Amino acid sequence: MKKIITVLLVVALLFSMAACAGTSAKNDKFVGISMPTQDLQRWNQDGANMKEKFEAAGYKVDLQYANNEVNTQVSQIENMISAGVKVLVIAAIDGKTLTQVLGNAKEAGIYVIAYDRLIMDTDAVSYYCTFDNYMVGTIQGQYIESSLKLADGGKYNIEITAGDPADNNALYFYQGAIDVLQKYIDSGVLTVVSGQMKFEEVATPAWSTETSQARMEAILASFYADGTQLDACLCSNDSTAKGVTNALASSYTGKYPIVTGQDCDVANTKDIIAGKQSMSIFKDTRTLAAQTVQMASDLLAGKTPEVNDTKSYDNGTGIIPTYLCAPVFADINNYKELLIDSGYYTADQLS
Ligand code: BGC
């Protein structure tokens, strides 16, 4: 009898040791993912892709969306820190508002990966994983350049709509495009008829469709109502492009301009198919998610994550080592191959 009890006790002990080991292994792989908003399709995809990939790699995941409210994002991150996450993956709403909360993360020994948007003014950020933001703008500028054949000369009119000044990416998108187009503006081939050209004049707080629509409607009413031709609308992303195409639909009757965008949101891809938007930058969020999961796993395993840029992204406390994924453009000629054949969307989603 004694023997049986001893055996049972040993078995129970082994079981509880195994359970403990299981728990601690799980907790060592606990990630908090803080996304800005569910309003835009892309962040839903980013969140879902990462959750799936982290879970497949054995992680416990706390995924939160902050409704584009800075205070909500800060308190969600605070909760993640208290819950014991080992890694934080954050796409900041406002890059300059997380200094204090990430100070707490650093104290708790948590790795912080800035996801898509750089987090400013904190030395708590370990790595940055994003698409090449300047290249996004370059490709948009080049699309306008080649569609209008600007290198051949001529006279064309353009309006510019940029992104959220609180988002560190927005200036990179704008600058990448302007660096392509500036020489045509200087030579008079391109004219910004509204005269609104500086980043602060063309920026769109919170990347809001309503704001970009209202601004474009005002521009069309003031500068194009007399029949002046508008040849191109440089829009930094799809939510701002949507505002611009809404404004064009309601307040412009001339020959339809080239309109750029970014993200290949379903609604905007449908606009490309319908001829209302000319192109969108395709940032395959599956690639970014996979790269980020790899980065987190390397960090937790004590390995140095792979980076390919160690000079572009200074967050105010020094250069943040970065992995840049490559953006490409989608338009009417290649969207099927890029978006449907690759399995990113089904044909049904775009019909
Ligand atoms: C992202 C874009 C997105 C924009 C608005 C940027 O930081 O890089 O892909 O369109 O935010 O959410």
Side-chain angles (χ1 to χ4, degrees):
M1 185 63 176
K2 242 185 175 179
K3 231 181 181 181
I4 295 174
I5 291 175
T6 315
V7 169
L8 283 176
L9 279 176
V10 169
V11 169
L13 189 68
L14 285 176
F15 257 118
S16 77
M17 279 167 68
C20 273
T23 318
S24 91
K26 240 191 197 160
N27 284 344
D28 282 348
K29 288 182 136 197
F30 185 11
V31 58
I33 304 175
S34 171
M35 294 284 111
T37 173
Q38 281 189 294
D39 287 352
L40 291 195
Q41 186 198 319
R42 78 148 291 186
W43 303 113
N44 291 293
Q45 271 170 253
D46 286 286
N49 285 338
M50 266 192 290
K51 186 169 190 302
E52 187 194 312
K53 288 186 198 304
F54 268 119
E55 283 176 350
Y59 281 77
K60 180 175 157 191
V61 175
D62 184 0
L63 166 63
Q64 302 285 338
Y65 290 89
N67 200 25
N68 255 345
E69 290 156 13
V70 168
N71 292 341
T72 306
Q73 183 160 50
V74 170
S75 67
Q76 287 175 342
I77 294 172
E78 262 159 12
N79 291 340
M80 289 170 182
I81 296 171
S82 314
V85 298
K86 300 290 183 242
V87 188
L88 281 165
V89 175
I90 301 170
I93 294 166
D94 180 333
K96 294 195 163 138
T97 53
L98 300 178
T99 310
Q100 204 180 328
V101 69
L102 292 188
N104 301 340
K106 189 176 178 190
E107 246 169 53
I110 298 167
Y111 294 111
V112 177
I113 299 175
Y115 183 84
D116 194 87
R117 301 170 169 176
L118 187 56
I119 305 168
M120 309 303 287
D121 305 333
T122 166
D123 64 359
V125 178
S126 327
Y127 284 88
Y128 180 31
C129 197
T130 189
F131 281 88
D132 188 332
N133 296 302
Y134 183 83
M135 183 59 70
V136 166
T138 306
I139 296 172
Q140 291 171 333
Q142 286 171 341
Y143 194 89
I144 292 175
E145 180 184 44
S146 65
S147 302
L148 296 178
K149 300 196 174 57
L150 299 179
D152 295 349
K155 281 213 160 297
Y156 300 97
N157 296 330
I158 184 169
E159 295 298 336
I160 300 164
T161 302
D164 183 354
D167 177 349
N168 190 60
N169 289 352
L171 194 57
Y172 282 84
F173 301 147
Y174 166 86
Q175 204 56 56
I178 294 300
D179 286 350
V180 175
L181 300 175
Q182 187 68 54
K183 63 173 187 278
Y184 300 110
I185 295 171
D186 292 344
S187 69
V189 171
L190 265 186
T191 304
V192 183
V193 178
S194 69
Q196 296 172 22
M197 216 195 128
K198 289 200 204 98
F199 177 73
E200 310 79 64
E201 293 173 309
V202 300
T204 312
W207 296 94
S208 152
T209 297
E210 292 71 25
T211 306
S212 76
Q213 179 170 343
R215 178 171 165 268
M216 186 52 65
E217 277 168 359
I219 288 175
L220 291 172
S222 303
F223 302 97
Y224 295 88
D226 61 359
T228 300
Q229 168 69 30
L230 175 56
D231 301 293
C233 296
L234 171 69
C235 301
S236 285
N237 85 329
D238 280 353
S239 60
T240 53
K242 195 74 185 159
V244 164
T245 55
N246 287 344
L248 290 168
S250 69
S251 323
Y252 180 76
T253 50
K255 183 168 168 272
Y256 206 79
I258 303 290
V259 179
T260 67
Q262 163 178 206
D263 293 335
C264 287
D265 283 351
V266 167
N268 297 72
T269 307
K270 286 181 176 174
D271 282 352
I272 292 178
I273 297 166
K276 291 194 229 164
Q277 183 174 322
S278 315
M279 62 85 90
S280 186
I281 299 292
F282 177 46
K283 306 202 295 195
D284 192 331
T285 51
R286 297 170 298 190
T287 314
L288 190 59
Q291 199 62 43
T292 306
V293 173
Q294 187 59 49
M295 227 177 214
S297 302
D298 285 347
L299 283 168
L300 289 182
K303 293 191 211 150
T304 306
E306 183 189 359
V307 293
N308 56 15
D309 185 297
T310 49
K311 54 181 196 308
S312 304
Y313 290 99
D314 188 330
N315 82 339
T317 65
I319 299 281
I320 305 298
T322 298
Y323 191 92
L324 292 176
C325 301
V328 293
F329 75 79
D331 69 0
I332 193 68
N333 299 311
N334 68 355
Y335 82 90
K336 276 194 190 133
E337 184 191 335
L338 216 51
L339 302 176
I340 299 177
D341 298 353
S342 76
Y344 200 72
Y345 294 137
T346 62
D348 273 359
Q349 282 175 287
L350 299 179
S351 67

